[in-house]
């Protein structure tokens, strides 16, 4: 199975750590975030990975070489010339994917998610399966009663996408930064700019393609995107590893 790890971000909210190392190499319990995720993917049966890099890219490349790629086939999608966001990053890495569904996973997400169950739940007729949960945040994705994506809402400002969306009958869920994608996703990217987010792409395509919510049972996740989450991440791994 194939997977992409989004690891190119600047990690601004993790300063001052990311003044000298990339976000992917921020250590939690003595191991970089990237290592925790690669080992989780390997245990779930993923054997071909692509990792995008931008911020201190050579440090990530050297780290993988020192670890002999953890016994996996790992390719690098180099974005050092331009940071492309998740959607643009995936499009740049298109050549690594063939005709089977694949996983995309943010490097700074820790979870107890069973990745095998997630891959089994994805229907090839769906454009994407998004891991979501009922947790507190300012911005939510909105799904209908069939758990199909229909829009987005910022509950603090009232802004919706599409603008003026009727939210009656839609329920809010928070995206976890983990998704399974069918190769048809690339056909939807033809008129996107070089830099764009996966969320923007999903909102563009959700009226013509099925983008499905996946709500795991007893799900626990942690976004290690902020410096004040480091200690919580340490505790998280103690409880869920």
């Amino acid at each position: 199975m194939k997977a992409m790890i989004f690891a190119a971000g600047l990690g601004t909210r993790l300063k001052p750590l990311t003044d000298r190392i990339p976000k992917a190499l921020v250590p939690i319990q003595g191991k970089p975030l990237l290592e925790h995720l690669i080992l989780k993917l390997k245990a779930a049966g993923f054997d071909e990975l692509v990792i995008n890099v931008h911020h201190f890219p050579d440090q990530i490349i050297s780290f993988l070489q020192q670890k002999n790629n953890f016994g996996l086939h790992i390719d690098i999608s180099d974005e050092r010339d331009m940071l492309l966001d998740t959607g643009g990053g995936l499009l740049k890495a298109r050549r690594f994917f063939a005709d089977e569904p694949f996983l995309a996973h943010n490097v700074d997400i820790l979870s107890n998610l069973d990745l095998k169950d997630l891959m089994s739940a994805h229907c090839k007729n769906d454009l994407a399966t998004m891991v979501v949960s009922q947790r507190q945040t300012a911005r939510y994705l909105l799904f209908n009663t069939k758990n199909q994506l229909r829009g987005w809402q910022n509950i603090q400002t009232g802004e919706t996408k599409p603008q003026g969306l009727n939210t009656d009958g839609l329920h809010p869920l928070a995206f976890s930064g983990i998704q399974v994608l069918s190769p048809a996703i690339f056909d939807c990217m033809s008129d996107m700019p070089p830099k764009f987010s996966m969320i923007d792409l999903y909102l563009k395509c959700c009226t013509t393609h099925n983008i499905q919510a996946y709500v795991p049972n007893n799900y626990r996740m942690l976004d290690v995107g902020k410096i004040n989450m480091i200690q919580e991440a340490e505790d998280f791994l103690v409880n869920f590893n």
Side-chain angles (χ1 to χ4, degrees), residues 100-121:
E100 292 295 323
F102 58 92
L103 180 77
H105 198 303
N106 292 2
V107 74
D108 54 1
I109 299 297
L110 300 175
S111 81
N112 65 344
L113 179 66
D114 188 316
L115 296 175
K116 291 181 181 178
D117 286 351
L118 170 62
M119 295 299 293
S120 297

Side-chain angles (χ1 to χ4, degrees), residues 101 117-129 180-182:
D117 286 351
L118 170 62
M119 295 299 293
S120 297
H122 177 75
C123 175
K124 290 187 178 181
N125 294 326
D126 294 339
L127 189 69
T129 300
V180 181
L181 303 161
S182 292

Side-chain angles (χ1 to χ4, degrees), residues 40-112:
K40 183 179 178 71
L41 291 168
K42 183 176 181 179
F46 291 89
D47 53 4
E48 294 185 51
L49 310 180
V50 56
I51 302 170
N52 67 344
V53 296
H54 172 81
H55 187 54
F56 294 120
D58 292 331
Q59 290 189 29
I60 294 177
I61 294 168
S62 295
F63 170 74
L64 293 170
Q65 290 173 344
Q66 292 166 12
K67 295 290 184 176
N68 295 312
N69 284 346
F70 296 90
L72 304 175
H73 180 94
I74 299 180
D75 287 297
I76 294 295
S77 183
D78 196 325
E79 296 180 23
R80 71 183 74 202
D81 290 338
M82 179 181 180
L83 187 60
L84 298 172
D85 208 334
T86 50
L90 180 63
L91 181 58
K92 182 178 176 65
R94 178 178 186 170
R95 67 186 183 278
F96 296 105
F97 303 105
D99 56 357
E100 292 295 323
F102 58 92
L103 180 77
H105 198 303
N106 292 2
V107 74
D108 54 1
I109 299 297
L110 300 175
S111 81
N112 65 344

Side-chain angles (χ1 to χ4, degrees), residues 85-235:
D85 208 334
T86 50
L90 180 63
L91 181 58
K92 182 178 176 65
R94 178 178 186 170
R95 67 186 183 278
F96 296 105
F97 303 105
D99 56 357
E100 292 295 323
F102 58 92
L103 180 77
H105 198 303
N106 292 2
V107 74
D108 54 1
I109 299 297
L110 300 175
S111 81
N112 65 344
L113 179 66
D114 188 316
L115 296 175
K116 291 181 181 178
D117 286 351
L118 170 62
M119 295 299 293
S120 297
H122 177 75
C123 175
K124 290 187 178 181
N125 294 326
D126 294 339
L127 189 69
T129 300
M130 307 178 71
V131 179
V132 292
S133 62
Q134 295 178 336
R135 58 184 174 85
Q136 188 172 3
T137 183
R139 297 174 294 275
Y140 288 97
L141 295 172
L142 302 175
F143 295 85
N144 65 15
T145 55
K146 295 182 179 180
N147 272 343
Q148 297 166 322
L149 181 65
R150 287 295 177 263
W152 172 97
Q153 184 176 34
N154 185 320
I155 61 170
Q156 293 180 339
T157 66
E159 178 190 3
T160 63
K161 295 180 183 179
Q163 187 175 3
L165 175 70
N166 182 357
T167 61
D168 292 345
L170 301 179
H171 59 280
L173 293 167
F175 181 44
S176 294
I178 308 169
Q179 56 220 300
V180 181
L181 303 161
S182 292
I185 192 73
F186 296 112
D187 296 333
C188 299
M189 296 179 174
S190 59
D191 59 351
M192 298 299 287
K195 180 178 181 178
F196 64 96
S197 75
M198 289 302 297
I199 296 298
D200 287 343
L201 180 68
Y202 290 151
L203 294 173
K204 167 180 171 287
C205 297
C206 67
T207 58
T208 55
H209 296 77
N210 190 30
I211 299 170
Q212 193 73 29
Y214 180 78
V215 186
N217 293 324
N218 302 313
Y219 184 52
R220 297 290 183 272
M221 62 83 63
L222 188 69
D223 181 348
V224 197
K226 297 180 181 179
I227 192 68
N228 61 357
M229 299 302 292
I230 298 297
Q231 184 56 54
E232 192 170 343
E234 300 269 351
D235 298 338

